[in-house]
Every structure is written in structure tokens, then in C-alpha cells.
Amino acid sequence: LLLALMLLAPALSAQQERGLIFNLEIGELCLQSAQCKSGCCHRDSGLSMARCAPKAAEFHECTPKTIYGVYYKCPCESGLTCDADKTIVGSITNTNF
């Protein structure tokens, strides 16, 4: 179901400016980063609800863009790079920011 939603994202977002599933604003609940206008679905902890959040600005903590749909730290804004622990250990332990 989640894969189907991700595949339908471009078609649905082209039909309407903002919807219930895609093109979500900052602060709205999300399941995947593809749903958010900002491109970052963020959660504070493993037990918290994920919400759309702005991407990391210069000098803020960030996470390299991954295949996972939800971040503990958002990826960088366009034009910036994230200098982080890119090893598999950093990804598994959520210290790759």
C-alpha cells in the first residue's frame, strides 16, 4: 500500500495543489517524506508521530538523504551538503547526523 502511494505521488500532486495525502504543509502528519512539500517527514523519537518539517538550514544538524521515509534530523536545504557519519553503523544507531 505504501509503495502504491509513493508511485501515485506525482500524478496526484499534479491534479491538485494540496491534498490529504501529498503536498502536505509543515506540521501536518505524514508517513513518508514524499508526502511533504518540504521533502522531510520528521519524528523526534521512535514513539512520536511524524510530521512534515522544513529541511535543515546552514549550521543545523542534518541527516544525509536516505531510502527511509522518515527522518530524526531532516536532510539539508538545496545547495547545502550534510557532513555526517555515512557508515552503516551510523544509519542503524541513528547517529548519522
Side-chain angles (χ1 to χ4, degrees):
L1 177 65
L2 192 55
L3 181 59
L5 289 175
M6 289 180 64
L7 293 174
L8 290 173
L12 290 175
S13 63
Q15 291 176 359
Q16 52 188 329
E17 189 171 313
R18 186 189 166 280
L20 295 174
I21 299 174
F22 296 100
N23 277 337
L24 300 177
E25 299 289 340
I26 291 173
E28 293 187 283
L29 294 174
C30 56
L31 296 172
Q32 291 286 321
S33 291
Q35 294 178 278
C36 303
K37 281 185 178 180
S38 67
C40 179
C41 185
H42 172 266
R43 83 173 56 220
D44 291 321
S45 68
L47 299 175
S48 65
M49 307 232 1
R51 295 184 178 273
C52 293
K55 288 195 174 178
E58 191 171 15
F59 302 115
H60 286 86
E61 289 184 322
C62 61
T63 300
K65 194 164 177 77
T66 65
I67 59 171
Y68 308 118
V70 178
Y71 295 96
Y72 288 102
K73 304 287 182 189
C74 287
C76 294
E77 291 177 339
S78 181
L80 299 176
T81 57
C82 189
D83 184 22
D85 179 7
K86 296 180 182 174
T87 65
I88 190 70
V89 175
S91 294
I92 292 171
T93 59
N94 289 323
T95 58
N96 60 341
F97 50 87

